[in-house]
Amino acid sequence: MIVILLIVPVANAQVLISLLFGDALNTGNVEFGLDGGINLATMDGIDKAKYLTAWNLGFYFDIKLPDSSWMIHTGVIVKSTLGAENLPVYTLNDEDLDDAFSGGTVTTSLQYFNVPIMLKYRLKSHFFVEGGGMLGLLHKATDEFNNSVQETDDLTFERNVKKEYHPLDAGFMIGVGYRLFGGNGMNLGIRYYYGMVDVYIDDSTPNVYNRALYFTVGIPIGAGK
């Protein structure tokens, strides 16, 4: 947890630094690179919730263990939006707003700094499998109310809901991927995140957990030179 608190304030700067100094960060036993793609997120425990599509971006380290087939995969997903779409509308304690969004939906966006910590096993066919945990620190949470008044007119209203969510999230992550260009190029991967922490602070509400499917591309910076 201390690692997250130390990394988060400089995470955005480190992505830029990584592009400039990637060669120096890569060694014979450590591979450094950028990781990004698309993730589909939902919130388990809410009826009729639909997947929210968002971009993710971060940096990673693959640290080789004595057995060269095994590695520790870690890093920081600097941009990682979880949440869900098509959530039910709730009262805003404003008669005009409640009337305007009656029959509409809510999109919840939970933006985290995520730190995966996984074991990664490379197969001889250039495929790899990985599994472990992921820790998240919430830095922004919004509910966007949406409603269609006419065929061409949409109403939206955004509400800051960060205080309603636990600041920390944690869960399990598993994945599979493939290494291009004879094992020295980009990593193409699919990962699934299974949150284990009830995201709501209010214990009187039903338990709700983050779930997400990540489609990622890992690009080594300066490796193999």
Side-chain angles (χ1 to χ4, degrees):
M1 225 48 87
I2 294 176
V3 172
I4 298 178
L5 295 176
L6 291 174
I7 290 176
V8 165
V10 295
N12 289 297
Q14 286 181 322
V15 170
L16 178 60
I17 291 172
S18 71
L19 292 171
L20 300 175
F21 301 103
D23 291 3
L25 293 171
N26 271 290
T27 69
N29 294 318
V30 178
E31 178 181 293
F32 173 81
L34 297 182
D35 218 358
I38 296 174
N39 59 281
L40 305 177
T42 190
M43 301 172 74
D44 187 29
I46 302 179
D47 291 338
K48 299 182 180 180
K50 293 184 178 180
Y51 281 91
L52 172 68
T53 303
W55 296 96
N56 61 79
L57 177 65
F59 57 89
Y60 73 90
F61 291 93
D62 279 343
I63 304 168
K64 295 181 181 179
L65 297 177
D67 182 339
S68 59
S69 296
W70 287 94
M71 293 179 286
I72 296 174
H73 176 86
T74 188
V76 179
I77 307 176
V78 179
K79 177 178 174 55
S80 182
T81 302
L82 302 181
E85 291 185 344
N86 199 50
L87 304 182
V89 171
Y90 55 86
T91 181
L92 291 165
N93 297 316
D94 183 295
E95 185 176 348
D96 291 335
L97 288 175
D98 288 343
D99 287 342
F101 291 101
S102 176
T105 62
V106 174
T107 296
T108 294
S109 297
L110 307 176
Q111 298 184 27
Y112 289 90
F113 294 110
N114 282 327
V115 178
I117 304 173
M118 297 188 287
L119 278 176
K120 185 175 183 179
Y121 183 75
R122 296 186 301 178
L123 304 172
K124 293 182 180 179
S125 58
H126 304 307
F127 282 93
F128 60 86
V129 293
E130 55 190 357
M134 187 164 75
L135 305 175
L137 177 64
L138 183 68
H139 69 93
K140 186 177 181 181
T142 58
D143 277 351
E144 183 181 273
F145 288 71
N146 299 278
N147 202 7
S148 297
V149 180
Q150 298 176 357
E151 292 184 0
T152 58
D153 292 331
D154 292 327
L155 291 177
T156 61
F157 175 78
E158 190 171 279
R159 178 171 176 260
N160 184 344
V161 293
K162 184 178 179 181
K163 292 183 179 180
E164 299 175 14
Y165 289 85
H166 285 294
L168 299 178
D169 189 41
F172 298 105
M173 178 174 273
I174 58 173
V176 62
Y178 184 79
R179 188 73 180 258
L180 297 175
F181 308 122
N184 296 312
M186 296 186 297
N187 299 285
L188 305 180
I190 300 174
R191 296 171 180 149
Y192 181 72
Y193 175 66
Y194 188 90
M196 298 294 292
V197 176
D198 178 13
V199 296
Y200 287 133
I201 291 177
D202 186 356
D203 292 332
S204 66
T205 61
N207 290 350
V208 173
Y209 303 93
N210 282 318
R211 304 282 188 262
L213 186 64
Y214 288 82
F215 298 90
T216 62
V217 177
I219 304 174
I221 305 297
K225 294 184 178 180

